[in-house]
Amino acid sequence: MTDDLRLVDITETQLDDVLRVRARSFGLLAAGAREDWVRDAVEFVHDGRFLGVVSGDEVVAAARIWDFQQWWGGRRVPMAGIAGVVVAPEYRGRGVGSLLMRGVLERSRDKGMPISALYPATTVIYRHLGYEFGGHRYRFSFQAADLRSLGGREVAVRRAGAKDAARFLELVGTAHEASRASGLLVWPESKIAEWLEDEENFAYLAEDGFVVYNWSDGDLQVDELVAHSEATARALWATVGSGASIARTVHAYLSPNDPVHLLVEHEADKQAHVQRWMLRLLDAPAAIAARGFAPGAAAEVDLLIDDPGVPAQSGRWHLSVADGTGELTPSDRSGDVLQLGSRGLAALYAGTPLAALRTAGLVTGGPVASDRLLDTAFGGAAPYMLDYF
Ligand SMILES: CC(C)(COP(=O)(O)OP(=O)(O)OC[C@H]1O[C@@H](n2cnc3c(N)ncnc32)[C@H](O)[C@@H]1OP(=O)(O)O)[C@@H](O)C(=O)NCCC(=O)NCCS
């Protein structure tokens, strides 16, 4: 084993090597999944979003960067979604993963993505790199029979396909803007089209809403349901629930505030499935400028950010929030200002209450009076994602 470890861009000829490391990290890809994986991988390679670490010419680690947007306060923020972080077992525990991730963060910044998110298999390495919990992904389970009886028969619902991708994005966009949603991903239209034409998915469209669902181990599972009216919500849920003679349970990826919780007669199963994802800011002024803030909130707060991982966002800043938008400008104000590191900054951005950040030691100093202003400015519906990546 040599120690000349180097960060590299993965090439197409190295993809088999990456798959070998991947198999030792996550298991073999399911039959038929290899082709899809390679097709996606080639896109990452061509766009400079597939990085690796080599020892000599052997690939010993790899990770890829999804070019996503993520909703924050009802606005779309370019986001680097980090996935497939793998290190060969014989190279683990000696800093290879950290070397790789530092390269991934720098590349994401170079590509103009002001924030990054990932689902952690272990939080340790990602916290060292400045990530903190940003939100959740929830899967709730309902009795299919409950959904079946929700009504909405007067609403016309038709089968949808790849050609409806733009309409899906439009319906999602107006819903998330109106609810000032945070956390959800925006996939490229081509990926939405693939999802809609996948024969395993059943997609239905109404005038002001849609649903995409599939079979999951003998139950039904809703990937996404958006409805802009009560009648359409009832109609789309009832369409899924019409499978009640075969499927007893309908699982659904949802917000904990989704209206379906208020429509169904019996509450969702108490055993909801919850995953957490982590967030890191890569360019704080751009991240603040891109997101939405609570419309009525006004805040003028001095901050001292200490982020050795991204020196450009370290230092003294002034945060100004008004009329639903925010601005972070360099400041020379000294004295007792609010201090936070990268993890505190990520958690603040994600709307974590200041009281929790102070108790966890992620924020110190500054006038406590500004905590209320920050809570209001960054607060809103809890961030959640529907998808795993
Ligand atoms: C997780 C993984 C990428 C880490 O790579 P690595 O090269 O071992 O990481 P590093 O040596 O740079 O370790 C960085 C820190 O994370 C810690 N760490 C790494 N793996 C860990 C684990 N499984 N559990 C707890 N801590 C872990 C290290 O101890 C180190 O912390 P320290 O400096 O306080 O000791 C690697 O173990 C791996 O490929 N695992 C299998 C696949 C996987 O889980 N990928 C992550 C998907 S999100």
Side-chain angles (χ1 to χ4, degrees):
M1 195 152 74
T2 59
D3 256 326
D4 58 330
L5 297 166
R6 276 183 304 126
L7 189 69
V8 295
D9 275 280
I10 293 291
T11 62
E12 278 190 55
T13 52
Q14 287 170 324
L15 290 178
D16 281 345
D17 287 355
V18 174
L19 277 172
R20 180 178 37 76
V21 181
R22 193 189 180 286
R24 284 160 172 75
S25 301
F26 300 141
L28 283 173
L29 282 170
R34 190 187 162 100
E35 226 172 80
D36 289 349
W37 187 91
V38 171
R39 201 188 45 220
D40 278 346
V42 168
E43 214 176 286
F44 286 99
V45 165
H46 287 175
D47 199 31
R49 289 185 282 110
F50 212 144
L51 270 65
V53 173
V54 292
S55 171
D57 49 14
E58 182 194 358
V59 176
V60 301
R64 50 192 192 157
I65 306 166
W66 281 98
D67 184 4
F68 285 131
Q69 293 179 319
Q70 188 176 31
W71 290 93
W72 284 102
R75 290 176 64 190
R76 291 168 235 229
V77 182
M79 184 271 264
I82 313 305
V85 182
V86 291
V87 175
E90 67 275 30
Y91 283 87
R92 289 178 192 157
R94 32 189 286 203
V96 175
S98 304
L99 169 71
L100 172 68
M101 279 300 299
R102 283 194 293 272
V104 161
L105 293 180
E106 197 180 325
R107 178 62 55 86
S108 304
R109 240 182 86 82
D110 290 348
K111 289 203 161 280
M113 301 171 181
I115 60 173
S116 163
L118 54 80
Y119 281 94
T122 159
T123 50
V124 180
I125 176 170
Y126 301 116
R127 280 205 168 124
H128 282 344
L129 291 155
Y131 283 83
E132 195 40 80
F133 289 130
H136 297 84
R137 179 187 192 222
Y138 304 91
R139 193 181 79 152
F140 294 99
S141 303
F142 299 93
Q143 296 174 24
D146 253 11
L147 300 175
R148 178 179 170 271
S149 57
L150 281 178
R153 291 231 170 82
E154 68 281 17
V155 174
V157 172
R158 70 160 173 87
R159 262 190 347 229
K163 63 183 183 328
D164 298 305
R167 180 65 185 143
F168 274 56
L169 280 170
E170 207 180 325
L171 286 165
V172 172
T174 43
H176 296 342
E177 260 171 48
S179 64
R180 293 196 302 108
S182 291
L184 295 128
L185 299 180
V186 185
W187 292 80
E189 191 175 323
S190 60
K191 282 275 161 207
I192 302 282
E194 265 176 45
W195 176 57
L196 294 177
E197 76 184 354
D198 185 336
E199 63 183 10
E200 289 187 8
N201 291 331
F202 316 121
Y204 288 92
L205 191 63
E207 186 63 34
D208 62 346
F210 70 82
V211 62
V212 180
Y213 69 105
N214 40 57
W215 287 104
S216 169
D217 295 330
D219 293 329
L220 290 169
Q221 175 168 285
V222 172
D223 281 355
E224 187 163 7
L225 188 150
V226 166
H228 286 267
S229 60
E230 179 189 345
T232 298
R234 289 183 179 279
L236 295 173
W237 283 111
T239 302
V240 183
S242 71
S245 57
I246 303 296
R248 290 176 56 84
T249 304
V250 173
H251 308 288
Y253 292 102
L254 288 179
S255 156
N257 301 317
D258 192 279
V260 71
H261 294 290
L262 310 176
L263 288 171
V264 281
E265 186 175 4
H266 300 99
E267 67 173 318
D269 193 302
K270 292 187 171 53
Q271 309 290 330
H273 185 252
V274 182
Q275 286 167 286
R276 287 188 181 79
W277 43 270
M278 300 180 92
L279 182 73
R280 195 205 199 289
L281 267 62
L282 302 174
D283 180 346
I288 293 289
R291 64 164 289 163
F293 287 87
E300 299 292 336
V301 181
D302 291 310
L303 305 174
L304 176 58
I305 300 174
D306 175 23
D307 184 1
V310 181
Q313 65 184 13
S314 282
R316 295 185 181 277
W317 299 94
H318 182 78
L319 172 70
S320 215
V321 175
D323 302 324
T325 60
E327 194 184 14
L328 195 65
T329 46
S331 154
D332 50 13
R333 285 277 292 279
S334 52
D336 181 27
V337 300
L338 190 143
Q339 296 170 38
L340 69 181
S342 173
R343 290 173 53 206
L345 182 63
L348 172 70
Y349 194 88
T352 311
L354 266 288
L357 295 178
R358 288 190 185 275
T359 305
L362 295 184
V363 163
T364 57
V368 173
S370 65
D371 287 9
R372 279 198 304 277
L373 303 177
L374 292 171
D375 280 345
T376 310
F378 285 93
Y384 70 100
M385 275 190 207
L386 299 176
D387 321 82
Y388 187 82
F389 62 87

